[in-house]
Amino acid sequence: MITSPAFANKRYAVLGLARSGAAAAEALLASGARVTVWDRQPNAREAFVGRCDVIDPLTLNLTGFDGLIVSPGVPLNTHPIAEHAEKYGVPVIGDIELFALACPNLPPHKVVGVTGTNGKSTTVALIHHILDLAGMPSLLGGNIGEPIMGQTPLEPNDNGEGVYVLELSSYQIDLTFDLDCDVAALTNITPDHLDRYDSFDAYAASKARLFTLQSASSLAVFGSLLDPAGSIFRAEKSLRAEGRAIAADLDALAAMQSEWPGLQGPHNLENVAVAVAIAEELGVRPAQWRYALPRFRNLPHRMERVCEEDGVLFVNDSKATNTASAAPALAAFPPASDLRAGSPRIHWIVGGLAKEDGIGECANHLANIAAVYTVGEAGPRFAELLEGHVPVVERCELVSEAVRRAREASRPGDIVLFSPACASFDQFRDYEKRGEHFRQLVGVIADCAVDCAPAASLSDEAA
């Protein structure tokens, strides 16, 4: 785990003992801090009984505490802990801030931070993959994989310093104040998770804070230049030296995309362009990233090619929890003139718990759709919106029924695309469980080997 003398003899409270909270508490204890922990689940508290104080910080006088660590999942706009801590002047922070405070005592290293509404998980996994194949020591953390404080610190090698590659949700950035990334990146910003913010502008401002924490000489990379991301890019460009705030060069890479079977679609071109810009800043040569890109395997539930049966490709894109993230998946499979004279190929399974009314950017790609199968709470509304605009709309309610009908209707060259454009919480615990359900259904209908092994385990469904 990551420890630091910066925490020795200081006093912290940790609220929430899921993976990141438990790892933070363990790291603080190992660093010699005085720790108070709490979780509403008794089984989560058991591991700390007798090792530190186990008390709800809401019941404590917090005078003398140096910080209160909360999970990114705690909604600070409504939870009473924020007001309680403020009353005593105690900063409310997250495990990423603990990592930032520990950085001065770690072996020489660099830090990469990537945020954005969509694409950040794929981008950080891709950066980690490129660095790994280039022989550079790197570690993946943040909103993906194992909690950062629970991981073994990196050591430099002959190929350079270790690189901590962090996926950062807006929630994590809100709880971070001292993270100076050597390279920070923003993939894009679209409306999402607005229950946690007063407005879309406030959500965008949360993302922009990642760049305000950087030193002026550090690099800022931007994928999409559509506002509000574009306005953040222009602001950073005006504040930095020439070449230290850049737009990822999608055009330079577009001709190569056919070489990367696991990275199709306009959204993945954006992800690759951001990852390549970061890798080159860290010293990776073009020959190295060109070797790595075709060997990248999709993350689970993100344009994951589950299998192919009788010429039909089954794709699990359960992570598409809004229309902005489903739209690039639809764009990734245009009509193929060499197959059936330009016929649409996508059998789109869509629906769940809607985050917005309408189909958003998906409207730009309806020509790619052969049939739609609507499911979940939002299914009837999607059916209303799409009937008359695509050749076939089937109302299914359950994912199992949608998969069965899509399989029966599809022909060689077609794609059964599970890209729900909705949250999962009407029928599933999270998008991961939803994606696993789709995988299992596909496994029942075909004896297919999963062609895309996961590059990393995932954590919370966060912005």
Side-chain angles (χ1 to χ4, degrees):
M1 72 181 69
I2 291 175
T3 60
S4 173
F7 307 134
N9 301 314
K10 292 189 175 179
R11 195 172 182 190
Y12 293 92
V14 179
L15 178 62
L17 296 172
R19 291 190 302 170
S20 64
E26 294 287 2
L28 288 170
L29 287 169
S31 299
R34 297 172 58 196
V35 182
T36 299
V37 301
W38 186 254
D39 192 287
R40 62 184 179 181
Q41 300 296 331
N43 61 329
R45 304 193 297 260
E46 288 176 1
F48 295 92
V49 173
R51 302 171 58 211
C52 60
D53 293 331
V54 182
I55 306 170
D56 186 346
L58 276 172
T59 68
L60 289 177
N61 180 326
L62 296 176
T63 301
F65 277 74
D66 294 281
L68 194 155
I69 296 93
V70 302
S71 162
V74 175
L76 294 182
N77 58 328
T78 59
H79 198 285
I81 193 62
E83 184 179 354
H84 185 66
E86 184 179 10
K87 183 166 62 175
Y88 296 97
V90 176
V92 179
I93 61 177
D95 66 322
I96 301 300
E97 175 65 3
L98 287 182
F99 169 74
L101 295 174
C103 277
N105 298 110
L106 294 176
H109 65 275
K110 294 185 183 298
V111 177
V112 171
V114 178
T115 193
T117 305
N118 300 307
K120 56 187 179 293
S121 293
T122 297
T123 302
V124 295
L126 186 53
I127 295 165
H128 178 62
H129 169 75
I130 292 170
L131 295 176
D132 183 51
L133 292 193
M136 298 177 68
S138 65
L139 183 153
L140 193 60
N143 196 48
I144 187 172
E146 295 301 314
I148 186 66
M149 295 302 292
Q151 299 197 47
T152 302
L154 290 167
E155 294 286 349
N157 69 12
D158 292 341
N159 290 316
E161 296 176 335
V163 182
Y164 293 90
V165 184
L166 305 178
E167 177 192 337
L168 300 171
S169 72
S170 59
Y171 306 158
Q172 289 171 313
I173 297 170
D174 291 340
L175 297 168
T176 303
F177 304 92
D178 292 281
L179 184 69
D180 183 359
C181 295
D182 295 277
V183 189
L186 174 64
T187 55
N188 50 64
I189 304 180
T190 58
D192 202 1
H193 299 280
L194 299 185
D195 57 323
R196 292 279 292 266
Y197 297 93
D198 292 336
S199 65
F200 182 37
D201 287 343
Y203 171 62
S206 175
K207 299 290 192 187
R209 280 194 64 249
L210 181 62
F211 302 102
T212 66
L213 297 173
Q214 278 188 293
S215 302
S217 59
S218 299
L219 181 67
V221 180
F222 294 80
S224 170
L225 296 185
L226 295 176
D227 283 335
S231 63
I232 297 170
F233 165 65
R234 292 187 291 272
E236 290 301 319
K237 193 173 181 180
S238 71
L239 295 171
R240 301 180 186 229
E242 183 69 25
R244 301 317 288 165
I246 64 171
D249 193 348
L250 280 68
D251 291 340
L253 295 165
M256 304 179 198
Q257 193 169 17
S258 61
E259 302 171 8
W260 323 320
L263 293 163
Q264 295 303 293
H267 59 317
N268 275 322
L269 180 60
E270 181 180 288
N271 296 337
V272 169
V274 171
V276 165
I278 292 171
E280 290 192 337
E281 172 71 9
L282 296 171
V284 175
R285 299 186 304 276
Q288 292 174 308
W289 59 254
R290 289 201 69 167
Y291 174 82
L293 292 178
R295 291 161 176 80
F296 178 75
R297 293 190 171 190
N298 306 66
L299 287 170
H301 317 300
R302 291 160 170 80
M303 290 293 285
E304 178 187 11
R305 294 175 175 235
V306 178
C307 69
E308 187 172 326
E309 181 206 24
D310 296 333
V312 176
L313 179 65
F314 291 82
V315 177
N316 169 24
D317 193 39
S318 180
K319 183 59 173 68
T321 60
N322 54 50
T323 58
S325 54
L330 296 176
F333 303 103
S337 57
D338 60 326
L339 286 175
R340 293 194 304 274
S343 297
R345 298 189 291 154
I346 297 174
H347 293 255
W348 183 26
I349 301 173
V350 61
L353 185 64
K355 293 183 175 181
E356 59 202 293
D357 187 32
I359 60 173
E361 298 172 30
C362 295
N364 300 325
H365 308 292
L366 299 184
N368 299 350
I369 297 171
V372 170
Y373 309 83
T374 64
V375 299
E377 182 180 295
R381 179 58 176 156
F382 274 105
E384 291 173 5
L385 293 167
L386 292 166
E387 283 171 343
H389 299 282
V390 297
V392 176
V393 174
E394 302 243 7
R395 299 178 183 233
C396 300
E397 186 176 357
L398 297 178
V399 176
S400 56
E401 178 68 9
V403 169
R404 184 185 65 79
R405 293 194 197 181
R407 184 211 179 202
E408 291 173 351
S410 56
R411 295 181 289 168
D414 285 351
I415 297 93
V416 175
L417 174 65
F418 183 49
S419 190
C422 291
S424 59
F425 307 126
D426 59 331
Q427 295 182 347
F428 300 93
R429 186 184 72 191
D430 51 36
Y431 75 84
E432 292 168 298
K433 286 296 182 185
R434 181 171 65 182
E436 289 167 7
H437 180 62
F438 176 77
R439 279 205 208 112
Q440 291 167 357
L441 292 169
V442 170
V444 168
I445 64 174
D447 184 16
C448 302
V450 175
D451 189 38
C452 299
S457 60
L458 307 176
S459 54
D460 301 332
E461 183 175 345

